[in-house]
Amino acid sequence: MKTVLIADDDSNMVQILSHILSEEGLNIVSEYNGKAALDTALEIQPDLIVLDFVMPIMDGLSVLKALYQSEIGFKSPSILLTANDPGEYRPQVEALGNVRFVEKPFEIEPLLELVRELLK
């Protein structure tokens, strides 16, 4: 069973994503701030991370930078959720590697298709 880490400071978003992705047969681990997401990702090394860009303590981009540049050589794909135009951050994110932007609000089916693609 593949594991997905969901990190968002909006508990409703975490619940929605957890429900949708668990119905896909995925094991879900949730966090509500960037620092906790980073610590958990380093510990469990999930198969996929879905995280919000704007979170307390540490934003999503900082989490991804720390993960992909960590000693453990983190390589799993990530989805960065954002309500803002990702334009100015796109070069930084693309330089990290296997990260995709999904803009909020998003539609469920395209998100599920992306998750399936990234977990192949």
Side-chain angles (χ1 to χ4, degrees), residues 100-117:
R100 306 283 184 90
F101 278 109
V102 172
E103 292 186 43
K104 291 180 180 180
F106 55 84
E107 293 187 26
I108 301 301
E109 196 52 42
L111 178 65
L112 282 174
E113 288 175 22
L114 178 57
V115 167
R116 291 177 192 130
E117 175 189 328

Side-chain angles (χ1 to χ4, degrees), residues 1-2 6 13 27 38 42 48 50-51 58 66 83:
M1 178 182 280
K2 300 224 177 196
I6 298 171
M13 182 62 68
N27 179 46
L38 175 60
L42 289 170
L48 174 69
V50 179
L51 73 164
M58 191 175 195

Side-chain angles (χ1 to χ4, degrees), residues 45-64:
Q45 297 189 35
D47 299 292
L48 174 69
I49 299 176
V50 179
L51 73 164
D52 191 20
F53 187 89
V54 178
M55 289 188 290
I57 304 176
M58 191 175 195
D59 66 52
L61 181 57
S62 297
V63 170
L64 294 177

Side-chain angles (χ1 to χ4, degrees), residues 20-117:
I20 291 165
L21 296 179
S22 65
E23 286 190 344
E24 291 287 307
L26 299 167
N27 179 46
I28 307 301
V29 177
S30 305
E31 294 295 352
Y32 298 91
N33 71 65
K35 176 67 170 114
L38 175 60
D39 292 343
T40 298
L42 289 170
E43 180 182 333
I44 68 170
Q45 297 189 35
D47 299 292
L48 174 69
I49 299 176
V50 179
L51 73 164
D52 191 20
F53 187 89
V54 178
M55 289 188 290
I57 304 176
M58 191 175 195
D59 66 52
L61 181 57
S62 297
V63 170
L64 294 177
K65 283 180 179 179
L67 274 174
Y68 288 113
Q69 297 168 358
S70 70
E71 295 174 359
I72 65 167
F74 189 82
K75 301 278 188 237
S76 295
S78 301
I79 297 172
L80 189 59
L81 303 173
T82 180
N84 303 322
D85 177 13
E88 69 180 278
Y89 302 103
R90 191 170 300 275
Q92 293 177 61
V93 171
E94 288 174 354
L96 294 175
N98 203 3
V99 182
R100 306 283 184 90
F101 278 109
V102 172
E103 292 186 43
K104 291 180 180 180
F106 55 84
E107 293 187 26
I108 301 301
E109 196 52 42
L111 178 65
L112 282 174
E113 288 175 22
L114 178 57
V115 167
R116 291 177 192 130
E117 175 189 328

